[in-house]
Amino acid sequence: MPELPEVAYQKKYADATILHKKIVEVETGDKKIFQSPKTDFETILKNNEFESTTRLGKYLFLKLKKNGVLVMHFGMTGKLDFYQHDETPKYTQLKLIFKDGSKLAFTCPRKFAKLYLAKSVEEFQESHNLGVDALAISEEQFLDICEGRSGTIKGLLMNQSLIAGIGNMYADEVLFQTKIHPKTKVNKLSQKQLKSIFEEIGKVLQLVKEARIEGKRVPESYLTRIRKEGEGTDCPRNNGKIDQTKVSGRTTYFCPVCQKEIQ
């Protein structure tokens, strides 16, 4: 599922391709993608244009010249495709045709993405109970969020109502880099450990964000790099084999040698 770094890439892509272009035609796909009637999207988007973009957590906000924002959540397979040829990309769920003849497709093969219409970023954040963005959170805010929590640290990192933008993959990466077991209870962690997690959130997300935007691979020291190879893969630190478990219902990768569970 696209997390903060991937959505940051989609933001840059939108900024470079679709701003300040008049939308003259709107075509909609599967209704399960649209969180308001499809006719609302057609009415609001037609003869409108995007003025700017904002990212909050895993959401991309396209500010309209009139009538609020178009909000995109990419699900597992959603992405933007800007093009100028005549053939509509496969799995297109929303197609916009601009006055200059160029086009934008929002594609999603598995149909888990969601499209919303909202009055503003702030209104959407409040109505959907989204926490502070993971790249905007301060150390003080992070420590306040952790105070008194008895759940797992991985569960806390993935809780979008507390911190918006960290999903399964990068929660694993942050904890691998800090050598903390994903099942460790938050109230068992020291202030020093919590501060190291906070610092690593920024480092991991910023590094992966830049790698995605620039088309580079993440460092060899990153768990993310070998994640697809799964359980039994050599630890990037050469400390043994990567193991797999479930935390908060999500498949979790970790190194049993590097990341000892605190009882």
Side-chain angles (χ1 to χ4, degrees), residues 59-252:
Y59 292 86
L60 178 62
F61 298 81
L62 304 179
K63 186 179 184 302
L64 292 158
K65 188 172 184 179
K66 52 188 177 182
N67 295 324
V69 293
L70 171 64
V71 187
M72 296 179 168
H73 188 282
F74 294 88
M76 296 182 72
T77 57
K79 71 181 185 72
L80 298 175
D81 190 350
F82 178 77
Y83 62 104
Q84 301 193 49
H85 52 76
D86 293 330
E87 186 177 352
T88 302
K90 197 173 182 180
Y91 307 117
T92 293
Q93 304 300 337
L94 176 66
K95 177 180 175 181
L96 305 179
I97 301 176
F98 300 103
K99 188 176 180 179
D100 66 0
S102 60
K103 306 168 186 73
L104 178 74
F106 180 91
T107 64
C108 186
R110 298 188 67 179
K111 301 179 184 178
F112 291 147
K114 295 184 184 300
L115 296 173
Y116 306 81
L117 294 168
K119 293 179 181 177
S120 67
V121 176
E122 294 75 20
E123 182 268 341
F124 188 88
Q125 182 177 15
E126 182 177 354
S127 64
H128 286 75
N129 192 29
L130 295 176
V132 62
D133 186 81
L135 278 179
I137 192 170
S138 69
E139 183 181 274
E140 182 180 4
Q141 286 174 310
F142 179 73
L143 294 177
D144 283 346
I145 286 170
C146 293
E147 183 70 28
R149 301 275 176 181
S150 58
T152 66
I153 184 59
K154 181 175 179 181
L156 181 142
L157 292 177
M158 292 193 302
N159 188 332
Q160 300 302 297
S161 68
L162 300 175
I163 306 170
I166 306 174
N168 192 36
M169 181 182 296
Y170 300 127
D172 282 356
E173 190 64 68
V174 167
L175 296 174
F176 178 75
Q177 293 301 322
T178 52
K179 300 182 180 180
I180 292 171
H181 194 285
K183 286 187 176 181
T184 303
K185 303 297 184 182
V186 179
N187 57 7
K188 297 291 186 180
L189 293 167
S190 67
Q191 283 286 101
K192 183 178 179 180
Q193 288 173 311
L194 291 173
K195 287 181 179 181
S196 72
I197 291 170
F198 167 76
E199 290 173 4
E200 208 60 48
I201 288 171
K203 288 179 184 178
V204 167
L205 294 180
Q206 192 63 40
L207 187 150
V208 179
K209 172 185 168 183
E210 292 173 2
R212 296 288 183 260
I213 289 174
E214 296 171 9
K216 298 179 180 178
R217 296 191 70 182
V218 298
E220 292 185 4
S221 60
Y222 268 41
L223 181 65
T224 301
R225 191 179 179 105
I226 61 169
R227 189 182 180 90
K228 289 183 179 179
E229 298 174 29
E231 187 178 5
T233 305
D234 288 339
C235 168
R237 298 190 184 100
N238 296 315
N239 284 334
K241 301 291 184 181
I242 295 300
D243 203 350
Q244 181 179 309
T245 186
K246 288 278 188 179
V247 182
S248 297
R250 304 299 303 275
T251 300
T252 298

